[in-house]
């Protein structure tokens, strides 16, 4: 009995070794296959170089360098950059525009994989501008696709969607099926970021149909991998497993190592969803082995986080923490906010399980802030616009179809009349009638289009106030309140001692003060938007209002050791609404405190001119760039910047100040420079004889 048991154990052990050996052979085969492709290109380049009539500005030679550079992506980023830099230099010297465009795209890919999104966008824009200028539609579509993909990594989904739609319009006219497949799949990925699985699957199925028409097995496998990932998120695990197994078979046959690494990671994710952590770790480790041979930091983040979750499920907390921290640091390194969100949530769970509540709360706050920034105002509206556009196109196609049917019937009548040759006048009448029907149908189509556009504009206008209110409530009120609730829950359930709870009281006070300040601004702004705020000017003593606000904000100033100095003269009187002036002064002082470092200084003063009083609030804080100064007073801006001590803001205060200054017949402006502080100015009417009489 023991002998049989030992034989069986020996057989299982041998089978595991055989499986591991076969996998290593497969990896080596894939790597050798990709090395072979690069080897072929290197030989072709060498052949061109050794030809008797070789010139470095030969477009064939430059094209081969560009192709070789593309092959190094995900495998050797340094080689990708050096080859692309050389091809760009040669393309410029030989005025080879197509080479310049493709070189810029390759360099943009290098910066994208390094996580330097701004640099990537800059190079992709250069490629797009050149393609547009030279009317190269194929490269224009290609550059629009990679540029939009980069905007999606940045979290700017609205701009990404706009670029994708422009690219699809060109690709449909030119019948670029390959890019129609790629771009529609990217749009499906955008819907996935919004958890809109129904619309995502509509686009995935559309891509699948295009791929079947193209007949390229690699395209089919790539789409099936993405669909498997979506099905896993939807908990449709059997569909997910079928798609990923089919994709893996193709990638192994075609030796596409970077996609195979992704497919193994998705398969691990499916097993993780099934609760089979051992199998999940097995496939995750296969993906990890492949990632050692490629350079794909963005793809590696999901893998590391998945492994962390599998280890956490098997109570190997220290290993789970190691993988999750590695993923978190990698996300920060390349500026991948979706990765930061997922990793911070995983670290929150790990620290909470180990009763490390301070770290747990810290990671949870990072998770909340990142989640909210990824769903900022405009992204959901942009996707709704796509739904509206899709519906409009459907109605348009229906009208065109009805129009064609009507024309077909009339053409039959005209044809019969032409054969009979009885009444020429009747034929003329039919033609005229046909034209009238055509005009009527076109007018109806135009009218419906205008109705749709007017309704969309009306709805957008109605939703502007609601969206901004919800954005501010979600961004600046939910975070502190959620943290407060979390602390109370921990304290109530006995997971935190009284002493530990009291340690958080100063932070809670700051959060409550922030909520109070935000609500005051929100109510004031809401009144102005709903036409409920009436300006009632009167003789107002400016120095009194300033002293009251300095006293109100003195505790915040004291916490940062900031000096508040009032240089306004006692006789400075203005003709304005005192309540609105109070809101203006409070917001500007609060803003200055937020961006002034510890031990700084804030000065508020006034210059009395003939008809106006020019008030200024000057700080020696962090200052602003020209770009930021151009945004802060915009009515629809939700521009938010964290202060020197990570203070939060609504992005509402300055636009509210501008509205109230203008309601009091004044102007507001700012002078600032990075690292040198900012000075906000606003002018209000001085008290004159006619004002005193009316008062």
């Amino acid at each position: 009995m023991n002998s049989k048991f030992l034989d069986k154990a020996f057989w299982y052990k041998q089978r595991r070794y055989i499986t591991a050996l076969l996998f290593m052979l497969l990896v080596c085969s894939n790597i050798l296959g990709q090395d072979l492709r690069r080897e072929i290109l290197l030989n072709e380049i060498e052949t061109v170089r050794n030809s008797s009539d070789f010139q470095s500005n030969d477009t064939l030679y430059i094209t081969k360098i560009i192709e070789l550079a593309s092959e190094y992506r995900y495998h050797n980023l340094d080689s990708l950059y050096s080859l692309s830099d050389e091809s760009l230099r040669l393309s410029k010297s030989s005025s080879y525009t197509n080479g310049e465009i493709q070189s810029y795209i390759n360099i943009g890919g290098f910066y994208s994989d390094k996580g330097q999104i701004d640099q990537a966008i800059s190079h992709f824009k250069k490629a797009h501008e050149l393609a547009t200028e030279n009317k190269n539609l194929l490269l224009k579509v290609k550059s629009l696709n990679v540029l939009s993909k980069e905007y999606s990594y940045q979290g700017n989904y609205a701009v990404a969607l706009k670029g994708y739609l422009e690219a699809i319009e060109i690709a449909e006219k030119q019948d670029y099926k390959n890019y129609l497949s790629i771009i529609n799949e990217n749009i499906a990925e955008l819907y996935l970021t919004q958890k809109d699985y129904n619309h995502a699957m509509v686009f995935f199925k559309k891509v699948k149909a295009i791929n079947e028409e193209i007949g390229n097995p690699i395209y089919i496998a790539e789409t099936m991998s993405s669909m498997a990932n979506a099905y896993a998120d939807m908990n449709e695990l059997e569909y997910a497993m079928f798609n990923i197994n089919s994709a893996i078979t193709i990638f192994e046959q075609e030796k596409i190592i970077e996609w195979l690494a992704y497919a193994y990671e998705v398969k691990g994710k499916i097993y993780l969803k099934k609760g089979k952590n051992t199998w999940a770790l097995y496939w995750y480790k296969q993906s990890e082995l492949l990632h050692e041979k490629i350079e794909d930091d963005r793809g590696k983040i999901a893998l590391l986080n998945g492994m962390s979750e599998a280890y956490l499920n098997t109570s190997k907390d220290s290993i789970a923490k190691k993988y999750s921290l590695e993923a978190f640091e990698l996300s920060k390194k390349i500026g991948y906010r979706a990765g930061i969100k997922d990793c911070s949530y995983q670290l929150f769970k790990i620290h909470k399980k180990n009763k490390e509540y301070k770290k747990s709360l810290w990671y949870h706050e990072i998770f909340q802030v990142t989640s909210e920034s990824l769903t900022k105002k405009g992204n959901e509206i942009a996707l709704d616009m796509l739904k509206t556009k899709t519906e409009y196109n459907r109605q348009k196609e229906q009208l065109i179809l009805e129009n064609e049917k009507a024309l077909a019937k009339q053409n039959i009548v005209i044809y019969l009349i032409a054969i009979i040759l009885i009444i020429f006048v009747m034929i003329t009448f039919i033609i005229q009638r046909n034209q009238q029907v055509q005009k009527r149908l076109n007018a109806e189509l135009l009218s419906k289009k205008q109705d749709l556009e007017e309704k969309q504009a009306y709805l957008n206008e109605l939703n502007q106030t609601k969206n901004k209110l919800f954005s501010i409530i979600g961004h600046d009120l939910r975070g502190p309140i959620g943290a407060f609730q979390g602390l109370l829950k921990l304290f109530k359930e006995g997971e935190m001692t009284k002493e530990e709870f009291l340690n958080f009281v100063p932070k809670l006070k700051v959060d409550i003060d922030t909520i109070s300040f935000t609500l005051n601004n929100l109510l004031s702004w809401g009144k102005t938007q709903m036409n409920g705020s009436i300006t009632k000017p009167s003789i107002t003593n400016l120095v009194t209002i300033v002293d009251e606000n300095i006293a109100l904000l003195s505790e915040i100033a004291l916490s940062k050791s900031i000096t508040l100095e009032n240089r306004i003269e006692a006789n400075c009187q203005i003709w304005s609404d005192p309540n609105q002036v109070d809101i203006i002064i409070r917001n500007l002082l609060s803003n200055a405190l937020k961006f002034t470092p510890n031990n700084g200084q804030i000065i508020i003063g006034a210059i009395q001119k003939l008809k106006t009083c020019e008030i200024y609030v000057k700080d020696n804080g962090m200052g602003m760039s020209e770009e930021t100064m151009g945004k802060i007073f915009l009515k629809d801006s939700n521009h938010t910047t964290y202060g020197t001590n990570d203070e939060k803001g609504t992005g509402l205060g300055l636009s509210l100040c501008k509205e109230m200054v203008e309601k009091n017949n004044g102007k507001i402006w700012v002078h600032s420079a990075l690292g040198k502080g900012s000075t906000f100015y606003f002018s209000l009417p001085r008290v004159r004889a006619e004002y005193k009489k009316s008062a």
Side-chain angles (χ1 to χ4, degrees):
M1 190 72 170
N2 289 336
S3 175
K4 287 182 180 179
F5 177 79
L6 289 171
D7 288 343
K8 192 174 183 180
F10 175 77
W11 163 244
Y12 280 130
K13 190 173 182 181
Q14 291 297 104
R15 189 169 65 177
R16 282 167 52 198
Y17 288 148
I18 292 168
T19 302
L21 180 60
L22 287 173
F23 177 77
M24 289 305 296
L25 288 171
L26 173 64
V27 171
C28 293
S29 173
N30 288 335
I31 295 168
L32 287 172
Q34 291 175 317
D35 285 343
L36 181 60
R37 286 193 290 273
R38 290 192 285 272
E39 188 66 31
I40 291 169
L41 282 169
L42 283 167
N43 288 336
E44 288 176 352
I45 290 170
E46 194 62 27
T47 301
V48 174
R49 268 188 188 154
N50 293 332
S51 62
S52 57
D53 57 346
F54 167 72
Q55 290 183 339
S56 61
N57 61 355
D58 183 358
T59 56
L60 175 63
Y61 173 70
I62 298 171
T63 301
K64 291 295 179 185
I65 294 176
I66 292 169
E67 290 176 6
L68 181 61
S70 299
E71 284 294 326
Y72 275 112
R73 189 170 184 187
Y74 303 116
H75 299 281
N76 190 323
L77 290 178
D78 291 337
S79 296
L80 166 64
Y81 182 84
S82 59
L83 287 167
S84 300
D85 189 53
E86 181 182 2
S87 65
L88 179 62
R89 180 179 57 80
L90 293 173
S91 296
K92 285 182 176 180
S93 65
S94 58
S95 300
Y96 180 33
T97 307
N98 288 358
E100 280 187 64
I101 296 168
Q102 293 180 89
S103 298
Y104 278 129
I105 290 173
N106 279 342
I107 294 173
F110 165 82
Y111 283 117
S112 175
D113 291 347
K114 286 286 188 181
Q116 298 177 28
I117 293 177
D118 291 339
Q119 285 276 48
I121 288 173
S122 173
H123 283 83
F124 290 148
K125 277 184 176 179
K126 289 177 183 178
H128 175 245
E129 288 164 3
L130 272 176
T132 304
E133 183 182 335
N134 289 274
K135 299 180 180 178
N136 189 320
L137 296 179
L138 181 62
L139 290 179
K140 183 177 181 180
V141 169
K142 184 176 181 179
S143 61
L144 271 172
N145 176 61
V146 293
L147 180 58
S148 301
K149 188 72 174 176
E150 205 62 26
Y151 278 126
S152 72
Y153 289 148
Q154 194 182 49
N156 198 343
Y157 304 132
V159 178
L161 181 61
K162 182 180 177 183
Y164 284 142
L165 292 177
E166 184 181 351
I168 282 178
E169 186 175 354
I170 299 169
E172 286 177 341
K173 288 179 181 178
Q174 302 299 321
D175 199 27
Y176 297 151
K177 284 190 171 59
N178 290 2
Y179 280 102
L180 283 173
S181 168
I182 295 167
I183 297 165
N184 278 289
E185 185 165 334
N186 287 339
I187 292 177
E189 295 289 347
L190 278 186
Y191 275 115
L192 286 180
T193 63
Q194 302 297 315
K195 307 294 183 186
D196 189 343
Y197 299 115
N198 291 331
H199 278 88
M201 294 313 298
V202 167
F203 277 88
F204 274 132
K205 288 173 182 177
K206 183 177 180 182
V207 173
K208 193 174 180 182
I210 295 170
N211 288 344
E212 288 171 357
E213 187 177 347
I214 295 170
N216 187 321
I218 297 173
Y219 282 11
I220 293 170
E222 289 173 359
T223 301
M224 292 182 85
S225 297
S226 299
M227 289 180 72
N229 190 45
Y231 278 130
D233 288 337
M234 295 164 66
N235 282 318
E236 297 282 352
L237 302 181
E238 295 307 316
Y239 285 118
M241 188 63 79
F242 169 80
N243 277 276
I244 204 61
N245 284 336
S246 302
I248 286 172
T249 301
I250 295 171
F251 291 141
E252 288 175 347
Q253 289 173 351
E254 299 294 331
K255 299 177 173 51
I256 310 297
I257 187 172
E258 57 271 17
W259 273 97
L260 192 57
Y262 172 72
Y264 287 158
E265 182 263 322
V266 172
K267 190 164 184 177
K269 178 180 180 179
I270 296 166
Y271 275 117
L272 188 67
K273 290 268 186 178
K274 286 185 172 186
K276 297 180 179 181
N277 296 296
T278 302
W279 277 105
L281 283 169
Y282 172 79
W283 288 103
Y284 279 143
K285 286 176 181 176
Q286 311 316 313
S287 179
E288 188 178 28
L289 282 172
L290 291 181
H291 270 284
E292 292 175 3
K293 309 297 180 183
I294 61 177
E295 293 186 51
D296 182 14
D297 289 343
R298 196 173 282 114
K300 193 175 180 181
I301 291 165
L303 167 66
L304 294 170
N305 218 32
M307 294 181 77
S308 172
E309 190 166 350
Y311 278 119
L312 185 63
N313 291 343
T314 54
S315 297
K316 295 179 180 177
D317 298 1
S318 60
I319 302 176
K321 182 179 176 182
K322 170 183 168 292
Y323 277 105
S324 201
L325 278 172
E326 185 180 349
F328 185 71
E329 292 303 321
L330 197 56
S331 299
K332 289 199 298 183
K333 174 187 169 186
I334 66 172
Y336 186 39
R337 290 192 290 171
I340 292 171
K341 175 178 75 72
D342 294 337
C343 297
S344 58
Y345 186 75
Q346 181 67 11
L347 286 164
F348 154 73
K349 291 195 298 182
I350 293 168
H351 286 293
K352 183 179 179 183
K353 183 179 178 183
N354 288 286
K355 298 184 178 181
E356 296 172 344
Y357 299 121
K358 190 171 183 180
K359 285 187 177 180
S360 174
L361 185 62
W362 187 73
Y363 281 115
H364 192 267
E365 287 186 351
I366 294 174
F367 165 75
Q368 282 188 314
V369 170
T370 312
S371 297
E372 290 160 2
S373 71
L374 286 171
T375 54
K376 61 184 180 182
K377 177 185 173 184
N379 294 329
E380 292 180 0
I381 293 175
L383 294 176
D384 287 339
M385 286 172 60
L386 179 60
K387 297 175 190 176
T388 305
K389 179 180 175 65
T390 304
E391 180 62 20
Y392 165 71
N393 287 337
R394 188 189 65 77
Q395 292 183 9
K396 181 179 177 181
E397 289 170 2
Q398 184 64 31
L399 285 172
I400 291 171
L401 183 62
E402 290 174 2
N403 189 16
E404 288 174 349
K405 288 179 179 178
L407 288 173
K409 290 178 181 179
Q410 292 164 6
N411 285 336
I412 292 171
V413 174
I414 293 170
Y415 178 73
L416 292 174
I417 293 173
I419 293 175
I420 299 172
L421 295 176
I422 299 174
I423 310 173
F424 179 78
V425 176
M426 197 68 171
I427 296 173
T428 305
F429 172 76
I430 293 293
I431 292 172
Q432 290 176 347
R433 184 166 175 252
N434 175 40
Q435 291 174 345
Q436 290 173 355
V437 170
Q438 178 72 41
K439 287 180 181 179
R440 181 173 58 81
L441 290 171
N442 287 338
E444 289 177 2
L445 179 62
L446 181 62
S447 175
K448 289 187 178 183
K449 177 185 175 183
Q450 290 172 345
D451 286 345
L452 282 172
E453 290 174 347
E454 288 173 2
K455 287 176 182 177
Q456 179 68 29
Y458 177 68
L459 288 173
N460 285 341
E461 185 178 348
L462 286 179
N463 282 331
Q464 279 180 358
T465 299
K466 180 204 72 173
N467 287 342
K468 190 155 188 174
L469 287 171
F470 285 171
S471 174
I472 293 166
I473 291 169
H475 185 271
D476 293 284
L477 299 183
R478 189 172 63 186
I481 292 172
F484 191 23
Q485 287 177 328
L487 283 171
L488 288 175
K489 183 178 179 183
L490 291 172
F491 181 66
K492 181 180 178 182
E493 293 176 354
E495 294 184 8
M496 178 182 286
T497 65
K498 181 178 180 181
E499 289 74 18
E500 288 175 330
F501 180 78
L502 290 175
N503 287 336
F504 283 98
V505 168
K507 182 181 184 302
L508 291 176
K509 184 183 184 306
V510 172
D511 286 347
I512 295 299
D513 290 343
T514 301
I515 292 171
S516 174
F517 187 80
T518 300
L519 282 174
N520 286 333
N521 272 353
L522 203 57
L523 290 171
S524 300
W525 180 81
K527 284 183 179 180
T528 64
Q529 298 302 304
M530 301 302 178
N531 298 319
S533 176
I534 301 172
T535 301
K536 297 179 180 179
S538 62
I539 298 173
T540 302
N541 194 325
L542 187 60
V543 73
T544 303
I545 293 175
V546 172
D547 283 337
E548 288 173 355
N549 276 285
I550 287 176
L552 181 66
L553 298 171
S554 61
E555 185 175 345
I556 297 174
L558 185 63
S559 70
K560 295 179 73 173
S561 300
I562 295 173
T563 303
L564 290 171
E565 183 178 350
N566 184 359
R567 294 185 180 177
I568 298 174
E569 297 173 359
N571 65 345
C572 184
Q573 292 184 322
I574 53 175
W575 181 257
S576 302
D577 187 318
N579 291 325
Q580 293 179 354
V581 173
D582 183 52
I583 290 170
I584 296 165
I585 295 293
R586 190 179 312 145
N587 270 284
L588 291 179
L589 281 176
S590 177
N591 208 44
L593 284 167
K594 175 180 173 183
F595 294 105
T596 301
N598 294 347
N599 302 308
Q601 183 184 36
I602 298 171
I603 300 171
I604 181 166
I607 302 169
Q608 299 190 58
K609 297 186 177 181
L610 183 63
K611 295 183 179 181
T612 62
C613 184
E614 189 175 287
I615 303 101
Y616 63 88
V617 178
K618 181 179 181 181
D619 65 67
N620 60 352
M622 56 202 300
M624 292 178 285
S625 64
E626 291 289 338
E627 181 183 0
T628 302
M629 285 191 285
K631 294 178 181 177
I632 55 176
F633 291 118
L634 295 179
K635 181 178 180 181
D636 295 325
S637 172
N638 200 18
H639 182 79
T640 302
T641 306
Y642 285 84
T644 57
N645 286 354
D646 290 331
E647 300 99 327
K648 298 178 182 177
T650 63
L652 178 66
L654 291 176
S655 62
L656 181 62
C657 288
K658 183 175 185 294
E659 287 181 26
M660 292 191 170
V661 167
E662 291 175 351
K663 279 179 177 287
N664 287 277
N665 299 314
K667 295 180 180 179
I668 187 168
W669 66 99
V670 62
H671 292 161
S672 183
L674 283 172
K676 296 184 179 180
S678 304
T679 304
F680 283 84
Y681 299 85
F682 66 96
S683 62
L684 292 173
R686 288 186 64 187
V687 174
R688 299 203 299 270
E690 59 268 30
Y691 291 154
K692 292 180 180 179
K693 185 177 180 181
S694 68

